[in-house]
Amino acid sequence: MMTRTRILVVDDHPIVLDGVTALASQVPDIEVTGYAQTGRDAIAQAVALQPDIVLLDLRLPDMLGSEVARELRSKLPEARIILFTAFPAHAGVEAALAAGADEVIVKDASRTDLVDAIRHVSQKKQAPSDAVVQFREEREARHARCGLTRREYDVLRRLAIGETNAEIASALKLSPNTVKTYVQVALQKLRARNRVEAISRAAELGLL
């Protein structure tokens, strides 16, 4: 008897569920077992349904994709997480991968690409997929163009989502003075006069 990969779809647009469900109905080894529209509901549904894979939107109304991924990884260590996003260049993708997501697939991907990603992840292959490799290569190239180090980028990304120096220091386990130094260096490298200008410049460069 064929083993089916059970998927929980997490997205606040019902049309995504309709599309993934329609796709699954045509693929004998994939089954949509549930749907959630918020991060908190996703965590609750995942614990209740125990899916093999969580297809996770990067942008949810109540939580960051990285926060959901971290909670899912903690509560369901065996489940796999695929980021399903329209914004592959968004800084949140890297944060979610660091929090435990296994794969990235863009929403305009072909049905074949989505099915391949699901099968790749369900087989628990250790090597990253071509999509993840490409994302990481593009990210490193963007960082190299502006000269930001990984830590400077981490600080800048958190500034962009509205965190204070104290919140960044707590999250990254740094002192407030160290965070302040990273911010100043990032501003210099981006040729920005203030934080707002730095965030705008980083967005133009495809960093955020």
Side-chain angles (χ1 to χ4, degrees):
M1 188 173 179
M2 179 180 294
T3 300
R4 306 188 78 184
T5 300
R6 302 169 67 251
I7 300 173
L8 172 66
V9 183
V10 182
D11 199 291
D12 59 346
H13 292 91
I15 193 170
V16 174
L17 173 63
D18 294 341
V20 176
T21 301
L23 170 63
S25 69
Q26 301 172 26
V27 182
D29 57 333
I30 296 174
E31 172 189 3
V32 174
T33 190
Y35 182 65
Q37 292 184 298
T38 68
R40 291 181 179 84
D41 190 30
I43 295 164
Q45 292 282 357
V47 171
L49 297 172
Q50 297 287 306
D52 301 305
I53 291 176
V54 178
L55 195 61
L56 176 64
D57 188 13
L58 186 64
R59 294 183 170 185
L60 296 169
D62 61 335
M63 296 176 71
L64 298 173
S66 57
E67 294 173 331
V68 180
R70 188 174 296 107
E71 284 292 315
L72 291 172
R73 182 58 63 226
S74 173
K75 296 180 183 299
L76 281 84
E78 294 301 314
R80 312 289 278 182
I81 303 169
I82 298 178
L83 294 178
F84 195 40
T85 179
F87 307 97
H90 193 280
V93 172
E94 173 61 20
L97 287 170
D102 301 284
E103 175 66 281
V104 181
I105 189 78
V106 293
K107 288 186 176 179
D108 61 356
S110 68
R111 291 189 172 194
T112 299
D113 287 341
L114 179 56
V115 170
D116 287 347
I118 291 171
R119 287 173 175 162
H120 178 94
V121 170
S122 69
Q123 293 168 11
K124 299 187 177 181
K125 294 181 178 179
Q126 296 302 310
S129 71
D130 291 343
V132 172
V133 171
Q134 181 179 357
F135 165 78
R136 289 174 173 163
E137 288 176 347
E138 290 175 351
R139 178 203 64 202
E140 294 301 328
R142 289 194 298 271
H143 289 188
R145 285 198 297 271
C146 66
L148 291 179
T149 66
R150 172 64 183 273
R151 185 58 85 184
E152 290 160 0
Y153 169 73
D154 288 342
V155 169
L156 183 64
R157 175 175 60 80
R158 289 184 174 276
L159 281 179
I161 63 175
E163 291 186 359
T164 65
N165 280 12
E167 290 170 332
I168 295 171
S170 177
L172 299 180
K173 295 180 173 55
L174 301 170
S175 72
N177 283 338
T178 300
V179 170
K180 184 177 179 180
T181 298
Y182 279 129
V183 171
Q184 292 172 341
V185 173
L187 262 63
Q188 292 172 359
K189 290 182 176 180
L190 292 169
R191 299 179 182 178
R193 293 169 293 182
N194 52 52
R195 299 181 180 207
V196 173
E197 192 171 301
I199 292 168
S200 176
R201 176 64 175 156
E204 290 173 1
L205 292 170
L207 296 173
L208 300 174

